[in-house]
Amino acid sequence: MSTKEILEKQHLEKEDIKHLLSTTGREMEMLLHKALEVKLNRLDNYVHLRGLIEFSNICRKSCLYCGVRSKNSKVERYTLTEEEVIECARLAHQLGYGSVAIQSGERNDPAFVEQITRLVRRIKEIDHGSLGITLSLGEQSDETYRQWFEAGAHRYLLRIEASNEELYYKIHPHDEQHDFHRRLACIDSLLNIGYQTGTGVMVGLPFQTLDNLADDLLFFRHKDVAMVGMGPYIPHPDTPLYQYADQIPSVKERMELTLKMIAILRLMMPEINMVAATANQTIDPLGREKAIAAGANVIMPNLTPNQYREDYLIYPDKACVSDKPEECYTCLDIRMKAIGHQILYNAWGDSVAFTKKKK
Ligand code: SF4
């Protein structure tokens, strides 16, 4: 079947996905064009913002790709004060971002759980609950997820990173702390509780095949998630996975592969939210714009106080690390207009797919 014929299909099978992932040149452009067309038809040209607050880089885990893994002694550890978090949330509200996302290394101790509960409640008090809240705080018990949901968080992002078990254990230690099946159970738990659940993967990992990537997309559809974040893998020199950095696709190939993943998923799940990850912009100055033009519709501008940002580098040379939130605000607005999109201010920007399913 030709690329053109596949792009007309209503339901993509694994072989179709693999075909589309292998496209180059004009055929790849056809795919990206089709994804943009689908997005504009179903979701209009709106881009939603989530003001990102990197709450703490203290983590109990040691994922093999991550710059803030607990075994990296070069990182200076920090945790924002509650007042700093609330200040970030107030700034998000003032700038009209509509939503915040609290991200942190993984901790499960009662003090952490209670602190997050308090923070969610306090953010909810800002202008009578006008800010949407996404959490990205790793694997937690069902009880903890429920507690945070009841406090007012309504979206949760837990990337599977690799939906293939074998690949998962090539990028995570194979031990009790990094259990593939527990991660799957956590995603199920979030879906059951009623969160708008997001997941995602890295693209261009060592050992990753097109077959793995096609399975990742099928996994998202099978789980019927409300949002997905996918970005190119960027090797961090202070991590064990860095030893394989010479075995991964080139920067250009990883960027193109990421764009194709976004575009194919937009065809498969036309109304979910999809993040244009900062990692795209790190490897390509126009990476975020390209991701939006390929079907993504969410951007997460960083609100973390600047003095902490250098210590939250899951991958190196992260884009916009030195930008002040106010600069980011203007820059993003101009960048989105330049590609015919508009930021929807003062709105939660919920996943349309999720909202329809709930009705
Ligand atoms: S990826 Fe997340 S859970 Fe893994 S080491 Fe990094 S911060 Fe911790």
Side-chain angles (χ1 to χ4, degrees), residues 56-71 77 103-107 136-139 158 161 171-173 177-178 183 202 312-314:
S56 174
N57 65 357
I58 298 174
C59 185
R60 66 188 191 100
K61 284 189 165 174
S62 261
C63 304
L64 301 177
Y65 51 84
C66 177
V68 302
R69 63 200 302 269
S70 60
K71 291 194 176 142
R77 304 289 162 176
Q103 195 176 68
S104 170
E106 195 173 298
R107 275 178 58 189
S136 182
L137 307 169
E139 293 167 20
L158 183 64
E161 301 299 3
I171 63 169
H172 297 91
Q177 266 190 332
H178 302 80
R183 198 155 190 94
M202 282 178 287
Y312 204 98
L313 297 181
I314 290 175

Side-chain angles (χ1 to χ4, degrees), residues 157-195:
L157 184 60
L158 183 64
R159 284 169 45 146
I160 186 79
E161 301 299 3
S163 67
N164 175 283
E165 186 171 357
E166 210 181 310
L167 180 59
Y168 188 88
Y169 285 123
K170 285 189 170 148
I171 63 169
H172 297 91
H174 201 152
D175 61 19
E176 218 230 304
Q177 266 190 332
H178 302 80
D179 185 316
F180 177 69
H181 293 281
R182 191 176 54 230
R183 198 155 190 94
L184 288 179
C186 282
I187 292 174
D188 288 340
S189 165
L190 292 164
L191 287 162
N192 286 338
I193 291 168
Y195 279 100

Side-chain angles (χ1 to χ4, degrees), residues 313-350:
L313 297 181
I314 290 175
Y315 53 84
D317 304 321
K318 193 156 137 194
C320 304
V321 161
S322 57
D323 289 7
K324 296 208 171 67
E326 297 78 1
E327 291 164 354
C328 213
Y329 171 84
T330 318
C331 166
L332 275 178
D333 200 75
I334 295 168
R335 281 170 177 259
M336 291 304 113
K337 282 187 181 135
I339 55 164
H341 281 66
Q342 54 171 321
I343 292 173
L344 199 62
Y345 292 104
N346 299 305
W348 283 12
D350 281 341

Side-chain angles (χ1 to χ4, degrees), residues 20 58 75 114 229 287 330:
L20 293 174
I58 298 174
V75 174
E114 287 310 316
T330 318

Side-chain angles (χ1 to χ4, degrees), residues 53-91:
I53 305 169
E54 292 158 333
F55 174 56
S56 174
N57 65 357
I58 298 174
C59 185
R60 66 188 191 100
K61 284 189 165 174
S62 261
C63 304
L64 301 177
Y65 51 84
C66 177
V68 302
R69 63 200 302 269
S70 60
K71 291 194 176 142
N72 184 4
S73 55
K74 292 188 189 167
V75 174
E76 202 171 316
R77 304 289 162 176
Y78 75 86
T79 300
L80 300 187
T81 64
E82 290 192 19
E83 282 321 306
E84 282 172 324
V85 174
I86 298 304
E87 269 316 300
C88 292
R90 286 205 186 101
L91 183 58

Side-chain angles (χ1 to χ4, degrees), residues 101-334:
I102 305 178
Q103 195 176 68
S104 170
E106 195 173 298
R107 275 178 58 189
N108 312 110
D109 51 282
F112 178 80
V113 172
E114 287 310 316
Q115 194 173 27
I116 295 295
T117 307
R118 258 193 325 270
L119 282 170
V120 170
R121 288 201 186 115
R122 287 188 65 187
I123 293 171
K124 275 285 146 204
E125 282 166 11
I126 298 173
D127 196 20
H128 314 290
S130 64
L131 282 173
I133 304 178
T134 306
L135 298 180
S136 182
L137 307 169
E139 293 167 20
Q140 303 288 342
S141 67
D142 196 70
E143 193 191 349
T144 298
Y145 285 146
R146 277 182 200 283
Q147 185 172 319
W148 292 342
F149 187 72
E150 277 155 23
H154 72 297
R155 305 188 193 107
Y156 202 104
L157 184 60
L158 183 64
R159 284 169 45 146
I160 186 79
E161 301 299 3
S163 67
N164 175 283
E165 186 171 357
E166 210 181 310
L167 180 59
Y168 188 88
Y169 285 123
K170 285 189 170 148
I171 63 169
H172 297 91
H174 201 152
D175 61 19
E176 218 230 304
Q177 266 190 332
H178 302 80
D179 185 316
F180 177 69
H181 293 281
R182 191 176 54 230
R183 198 155 190 94
L184 288 179
C186 282
I187 292 174
D188 288 340
S189 165
L190 292 164
L191 287 162
N192 286 338
I193 291 168
Y195 279 100
Q196 283 181 49
T197 305
T199 187
V201 292
M202 282 178 287
V203 180
L205 285 162
F207 317 111
Q208 190 179 47
T209 62
L210 284 193
D211 205 73
N212 293 146
L213 289 170
D215 281 336
D216 289 337
L217 296 177
L218 292 167
F219 171 80
F220 304 148
R221 184 166 71 188
H222 172 69
K223 290 287 173 193
D224 198 13
V225 293
M227 50 185 186
V228 169
M230 292 183 282
Y233 164 62
I234 303 174
H236 192 300
D238 301 324
T239 62
L241 211 62
Y242 191 75
Q243 63 187 298
Y244 305 108
D246 58 348
Q247 294 177 29
I248 60 173
S250 69
V251 166
K252 181 171 178 282
E253 286 165 339
R254 271 177 286 150
M255 186 70 212
E256 288 185 355
L257 210 43
T258 304
L259 295 178
K260 286 186 275 187
M261 288 287 281
I262 292 172
I264 298 167
L265 191 61
R266 181 54 72 202
L267 303 182
M268 294 168 69
M269 305 181 81
E271 295 182 339
I272 61 165
N273 278 344
M274 247 194 287
V275 183
T278 307
N280 290 299
Q281 203 188 340
T282 300
I283 66 166
D284 179 333
L286 291 176
R288 271 199 301 209
E289 286 89 330
K290 287 180 183 174
I292 294 288
N297 67 330
V298 173
I299 288 182
M300 299 173 71
N302 202 339
L303 289 175
T304 312
N306 289 67
Q307 70 266 33
Y308 300 110
R309 292 189 194 178
E310 287 287 348
D311 294 317
Y312 204 98
L313 297 181
I314 290 175
Y315 53 84
D317 304 321
K318 193 156 137 194
C320 304
V321 161
S322 57
D323 289 7
K324 296 208 171 67
E326 297 78 1
E327 291 164 354
C328 213
Y329 171 84
T330 318
C331 166
L332 275 178
D333 200 75
I334 295 168

